[in-house]
Amino acid sequence: MPTPLTDLCRYPIVQAPMAGGAARPELAAAVSEAGGLGFLAAGYKTADGMYQEIKQLRGLTGRTFGVNLFMPQPSLADATPVEVYREQLAGEAAWYESPIAGLDPYGGADDGYEAKLAILREDPVPVVSFAFGCPSRAVLDAFAKVGTYTIVTVTTAAEAQAAQWSGADAVCVQGIEAGGHQSTHRDDPQADGTGAGIGLLSLIAQVHEAVQIPIIAAGGLMRGSQIAAALAAGASMAQLGTAFLVTPESGANALHKQALTNPLFTRTELTRAFSGRPARGLVNRFLREHGPYAPAAYPAVHHLTSGLRKAAAKAGDAQGMALWAGQGHRMARELPAGQLVEVLSAELDVARAALNRPGNGAGAMS
C-alpha cells in the first residue's frame, strides 16, 4: 500500500511545480522544510538538468519533495499554422532583436520523457506528478515498485477516472482558475472561448464522486480559508502556485513578480499566444495582439516564442513576457516561502474552527 497522501507532509499544502524557472530547489526546499510539500518542475529541462536540481534539493532538505514531468505530446500533423504565426511574430523579433526566421521549433515534443523516467526509476524521489496527460499503467507500476508516490493532474472527472484506472496514487484536480497551463489530457482547440472549463469547487465535487483515490485541489487558491473550502468539498490537500510565485525563493523574473500586484494588470485570460496550449496569464500587450491568432501547436509555439520572451525580460519589458498567474493573483503576499506555509496553515486552522463552530450548520464539513 502506498503512503497515505496526508502523511507526505505536516500541512495539506503543496507548492505547485511551476515550469520555467520559478519552482527551483530553493523554493521546494523552503516549502518542504516548513511542513508543506515542495515540488521541482522538470518541464523544459534536460534529464541531466533535472537530476542536478534533484541533487541540489537533497542537499537543502531531507524532507519529502516531488518532481513534476510533462507527458510527451503528439507530433504536429501540419506545420502551416506555426509558419503563419512565425510571420506574424516578425515584428516582435525585430523589436527585441531576437531572430526567429531560421529557428526550428519542431523538436522536443517528448520533453526528454523517457530519459527522465529512467533517472527517476534508478534514483527514486518521494513523489512524481504528471502534467498534460496520463502515464501508462506500466510507468505507474514501475514507480510503485520503487516506492514513489504518483499524482496525475486532471481537469475533468473522466481524466481522473483514467488516472485511477492507470494506477495513480492521487489526482491533482485543476480548476479553470489556475494560472499557467491547463493540464488537459487532450488539447481541444474547439473548446477555446466556449467556457468549457470547470471551476475548482465544482470540479472537486465531481471528481470526488467519480474516483476513490485522494484529491489535491489546484486553481486560484491564495488564502487558508480557500484551502479550507477545498478540503470541505472533498480534497485532501491543496496546491498553490501563484501564491508562491512572489516569494524570494521563487526563481520567477522580478518583473513577473511585480506584475502580479501591479494595478496596470487588472485581469487574467487563457491564451495560446506564448506556447500554443491554453494557459492563464496576466493580460498584456503580447497576449492581446497575438492571442487571437496563435495556433493550437504545443510545444512548437513555446519554442518559437521562447527567445522573444527572454529578450523582453532582458529589456525590462513585461508587456512582451508570459506573465502566468491564477485568478487570485492580486492577493499575492511577498513573504518568505516557509513563512507563507505557516501563515496559510494558521489561516486554515481559523477557517476550520469557524466551520465547526456550533450553530453554523457546517460541522459535518470538517
Side-chain angles (χ1 to χ4, degrees):
M1 294 294 293
T3 302
L5 176 63
T6 52
D7 286 354
L8 293 175
C9 50
R10 180 179 179 185
Y11 302 124
I13 297 170
V14 182
Q15 164 249 313
M18 299 166 283
R24 60 182 179 173
E26 293 87 344
L27 176 58
V31 171
S32 291
E33 281 291 305
L37 179 59
F39 255 95
L40 288 177
Y44 307 137
K45 294 185 176 72
T46 63
D48 183 65
M50 175 195 74
Y51 182 59
Q52 295 304 321
E53 287 206 345
I54 291 172
K55 289 202 300 183
Q56 185 181 348
L57 177 54
R58 284 173 169 154
L60 295 172
T61 183
R63 302 285 182 89
T64 301
F65 66 90
V67 175
N68 177 259
L69 301 180
F70 285 174
M71 292 296 297
Q73 299 301 294
S75 299
L76 274 183
D78 181 9
T80 303
V82 178
E83 294 308 313
V84 171
Y85 196 53
R86 188 200 299 264
E87 294 177 6
Q88 182 182 332
L89 295 175
E92 302 282 350
W95 178 258
Y96 292 119
E97 298 181 346
S98 178
I100 59 173
L103 183 68
D104 178 12
Y106 301 108
D110 67 347
D111 201 53
Y113 181 69
E114 292 295 338
K116 291 171 183 176
L117 288 181
I119 289 173
L120 293 171
R121 287 192 296 256
E122 179 70 23
D123 189 3
V125 299
V127 183
V128 171
S129 69
F130 300 86
F132 304 156
C134 182
S136 67
R137 176 173 286 276
V139 167
L140 294 174
D141 285 349
F143 276 121
K145 288 179 181 178
V146 297
T148 295
Y149 195 94
T150 53
I151 302 166
V152 174
T153 308
V154 302
T155 61
T156 67
E159 290 175 354
Q161 289 175 321
Q164 177 178 261
W165 182 87
S166 296
D169 294 316
V171 287
C172 179
V173 173
Q174 185 194 48
I176 195 68
E177 306 94 334
H181 286 95
Q182 291 288 298
S183 192
T184 51
H185 291 190
R186 185 176 71 89
D187 184 11
D188 180 12
Q190 299 300 317
D192 290 2
T194 65
I198 307 171
L200 179 59
L201 291 181
S202 295
L203 186 56
I204 293 171
Q206 292 177 28
V207 172
H208 187 61
E209 293 187 0
V211 301
Q212 286 74 53
I213 56 178
I215 293 170
I216 300 172
L221 303 176
M222 303 292 289
R223 296 287 187 267
S225 58
Q226 294 173 297
I227 296 174
L231 300 186
S236 296
M237 299 181 75
Q239 178 172 287
L240 294 78
T242 305
F244 285 104
L245 198 61
V246 296
T247 64
E249 295 88 350
S250 160
N253 185 281
L255 291 173
H256 191 170
K257 294 181 179 184
Q258 294 162 10
L260 293 176
T261 53
N262 186 336
L264 181 65
F265 301 100
T266 59
R267 62 188 179 91
T268 64
E269 196 174 284
L270 288 173
T271 185
R272 294 181 183 271
F274 299 101
S275 73
R277 205 179 217 280
R280 185 173 297 282
L282 299 175
V283 176
N284 61 3
R285 179 194 59 77
F286 194 105
L287 189 156
R288 285 192 302 270
E289 293 182 2
H290 302 294
Y293 312 104
Y298 176 87
V301 173
H302 161 77
H303 296 310
L304 190 64
T305 68
S306 178
L308 298 176
R309 289 177 275 135
K310 290 175 182 176
K314 185 176 181 180
D317 183 9
Q319 295 294 337
M321 298 169 58
L323 304 173
W324 304 136
Q327 288 185 340
H329 65 94
R330 298 300 291 273
M331 301 169 72
R333 297 177 283 199
E334 295 182 18
L335 299 173
Q339 184 180 346
L340 179 57
V341 171
E342 294 170 358
V343 169
L344 289 166
S345 177
E347 292 173 345
L348 173 59
D349 288 343
V350 170
R352 278 174 157 171
L355 283 173
N356 290 317
R357 190 172 299 130
N360 71 357
M365 296 175 67
S366 62

